[in-house]
Amino acid sequence: MITTRIKDVDMIFETAPSIFSPNSIDPGTLAMLSVIDFSPCDKVLDLGCGYGVVGVLAGKLIGEENVIMCDVSEQAITCAKINVQTNNVPNIKISLSDGFKNIEEKDFTLILSNPPYHADFSVPKHFIEIGFQRLAMGGKLIMVTKRLDWYKNKLTSVFCGVRVYEINGYYVFVAEKRRQAIKEKVKAANNLSKKLQRKQQRHKTGRKK
């Protein structure tokens, strides 16, 4: 059992040995939360929620109806369900989901994640690429890791920009979904399409000779 106070909110969390950071609140999560100002108009996804620190805090600050939590671990979901009850935010929606697979909503203003950065990059790649699609315009994907280059490059390529904060040995990335990013993606797709068309045309011309 962990007792903590974050952003002037007192919380209690039940954990389990198999869940990430079972004995104390992960300092990376605390670093990420330090750059976030929750707003009553936010709709928040705690992506990879673990035992529920981020989601429970968001629910207590902005209202439980505005928060969704998900994790691929059944043990994490079990603890998260206990913790929303213990912390008096029982109406937070909690889903067992491998990334976004069981998440239908597409209008989040904040997607918050502390991804498993000790594994390969397939999980954060999914989080970033699908996260961009699931954000409302102006929404933000905020992630924390101990690695810089891959995340900075990937977020920049998908969002056309990212802000990076270095806090206590962690990197916190804040990427905003902007219309310019969508325009850049459409332009890149059109350019690629034109290149393929020219390549196909050259191939056809070569075959006629």
Side-chain angles (χ1 to χ4, degrees), residues 3 46 48 51 84 92 103 118 120 135 138 171 174-176 202:
T3 301
D46 182 1
Y51 48 84
V84 297
I92 289 178
I103 304 299
H118 297 298
D120 62 40
L135 283 168
Y171 297 103
V174 180
E176 181 178 343
R202 287 196 299 269

Short mmCIF file of all heavy atoms in Angstrom, two decimals, residues 3 46 48 51 84 92 103 118 120 135 138 171 174-176 202:
data_model
loop_
_atom_site.label_atom_id
_atom_site.label_comp_id
_atom_site.label_asym_id
_atom_site.label_seq_id
_atom_site.Cartn_x
_atom_site.Cartn_y
_atom_site.Cartn_z
N THR A 3 0.90 5.45 0.26
CA THR A 3 0.21 6.69 0.59
C THR A 3 1.03 7.84 0.02
O THR A 3 2.25 7.91 0.23
CB THR A 3 0.07 6.86 2.11
OG1 THR A 3 -0.66 5.77 2.63
CG2 THR A 3 -0.67 8.16 2.44
N ASP A 46 -5.29 7.74 -19.47
CA ASP A 46 -4.10 7.23 -18.79
C ASP A 46 -3.73 5.94 -19.50
O ASP A 46 -4.31 4.87 -19.23
CB ASP A 46 -4.42 7.01 -17.31
CG ASP A 46 -3.21 6.53 -16.51
OD1 ASP A 46 -2.12 6.38 -17.10
OD2 ASP A 46 -3.36 6.30 -15.29
N GLY A 48 -1.67 2.82 -20.33
CA GLY A 48 -0.74 2.00 -19.59
C GLY A 48 -0.76 2.44 -18.14
O GLY A 48 0.25 2.84 -17.56
N TYR A 51 -1.25 0.72 -11.67
CA TYR A 51 -2.25 0.68 -10.59
C TYR A 51 -3.03 1.98 -10.47
O TYR A 51 -3.88 2.11 -9.59
CB TYR A 51 -1.63 0.27 -9.26
CG TYR A 51 -0.37 0.98 -8.84
CD1 TYR A 51 -0.41 2.21 -8.20
CD2 TYR A 51 0.88 0.40 -9.07
CE1 TYR A 51 0.74 2.85 -7.79
CE2 TYR A 51 2.05 1.04 -8.66
CZ TYR A 51 1.98 2.26 -8.02
OH TYR A 51 3.13 2.90 -7.61
N VAL A 84 -9.57 3.15 -7.65
CA VAL A 84 -10.57 4.20 -7.94
C VAL A 84 -11.66 4.19 -6.87
O VAL A 84 -12.21 5.26 -6.53
CB VAL A 84 -11.18 4.05 -9.36
CG1 VAL A 84 -10.12 4.21 -10.43
CG2 VAL A 84 -11.94 2.74 -9.53
N ILE A 92 -14.53 6.40 -12.88
CA ILE A 92 -13.52 6.39 -13.93
C ILE A 92 -13.68 5.11 -14.74
O ILE A 92 -13.81 4.02 -14.19
CB ILE A 92 -12.10 6.47 -13.34
CG1 ILE A 92 -11.85 7.86 -12.75
CG2 ILE A 92 -11.04 6.17 -14.39
CD1 ILE A 92 -10.49 8.01 -12.08
N ILE A 103 -9.96 0.81 -26.95
CA ILE A 103 -10.35 2.19 -26.67
C ILE A 103 -10.99 2.78 -27.92
O ILE A 103 -10.37 2.85 -28.98
CB ILE A 103 -9.11 3.04 -26.28
CG1 ILE A 103 -8.39 2.42 -25.09
CG2 ILE A 103 -9.54 4.47 -25.96
CD1 ILE A 103 -9.21 2.31 -23.83
N HIS A 118 12.08 -0.07 -21.61
CA HIS A 118 13.15 -1.06 -21.57
C HIS A 118 12.94 -2.15 -22.63
O HIS A 118 13.82 -2.96 -22.86
CB HIS A 118 13.25 -1.69 -20.18
CG HIS A 118 13.61 -0.69 -19.12
ND1 HIS A 118 14.79 0.00 -19.13
CD2 HIS A 118 12.93 -0.27 -18.03
CE1 HIS A 118 14.84 0.81 -18.08
NE2 HIS A 118 13.72 0.67 -17.41
N ASP A 120 11.44 -3.25 -26.71
CA ASP A 120 11.70 -2.67 -28.01
C ASP A 120 10.74 -1.50 -28.23
O ASP A 120 9.94 -1.17 -27.36
CB ASP A 120 11.57 -3.73 -29.12
CG ASP A 120 10.15 -4.30 -29.21
OD1 ASP A 120 9.19 -3.53 -29.08
OD2 ASP A 120 10.01 -5.51 -29.43
N LEU A 135 -6.34 11.99 -30.56
CA LEU A 135 -6.39 13.29 -29.90
C LEU A 135 -7.35 14.24 -30.61
O LEU A 135 -7.45 14.24 -31.85
CB LEU A 135 -5.01 13.93 -29.88
CG LEU A 135 -4.00 13.41 -28.86
CD1 LEU A 135 -2.61 13.96 -29.18
CD2 LEU A 135 -4.41 13.78 -27.44
N GLY A 138 -5.55 20.19 -31.04
CA GLY A 138 -5.03 20.94 -29.91
C GLY A 138 -4.73 20.08 -28.70
O GLY A 138 -4.17 20.56 -27.71
N TYR A 171 13.17 12.23 -19.33
CA TYR A 171 12.76 13.14 -20.40
C TYR A 171 11.24 13.11 -20.50
O TYR A 171 10.64 12.05 -20.66
CB TYR A 171 13.39 12.72 -21.73
CG TYR A 171 14.89 12.80 -21.74
CD1 TYR A 171 15.66 11.64 -21.60
CD2 TYR A 171 15.55 14.02 -21.84
CE1 TYR A 171 17.05 11.71 -21.60
CE2 TYR A 171 16.93 14.10 -21.82
CZ TYR A 171 17.68 12.93 -21.70
OH TYR A 171 19.05 13.00 -21.68
N VAL A 174 6.24 16.55 -24.70
CA VAL A 174 4.91 17.13 -24.87
C VAL A 174 4.71 17.43 -26.35
O VAL A 174 5.38 18.31 -26.91
CB VAL A 174 4.75 18.42 -24.04
CG1 VAL A 174 3.34 18.99 -24.23
CG2 VAL A 174 5.02 18.15 -22.56
N ALA A 175 3.82 16.68 -26.98
CA ALA A 175 3.56 16.85 -28.42
C ALA A 175 2.10 17.23 -28.63
O ALA A 175 1.20 16.55 -28.12
CB ALA A 175 3.89 15.56 -29.16
N GLU A 176 1.86 18.30 -29.35
CA GLU A 176 0.50 18.82 -29.55
C GLU A 176 0.02 18.52 -30.97
O GLU A 176 0.76 18.69 -31.94
CB GLU A 176 0.47 20.33 -29.31
CG GLU A 176 -0.91 20.95 -29.47
CD GLU A 176 -0.91 22.43 -29.17
OE1 GLU A 176 0.07 22.92 -28.55
OE2 GLU A 176 -1.88 23.12 -29.56
N ARG A 202 7.33 5.67 -65.72
CA ARG A 202 8.62 5.35 -66.33
C ARG A 202 8.76 3.86 -66.60
O ARG A 202 9.30 3.44 -67.63
CB ARG A 202 9.77 5.81 -65.40
CG ARG A 202 9.96 7.33 -65.38
CD ARG A 202 11.32 7.68 -64.77
NE ARG A 202 11.44 7.23 -63.41
CZ ARG A 202 11.13 7.94 -62.34
NH1 ARG A 202 10.64 9.18 -62.49
NH2 ARG A 202 11.27 7.46 -61.12
#
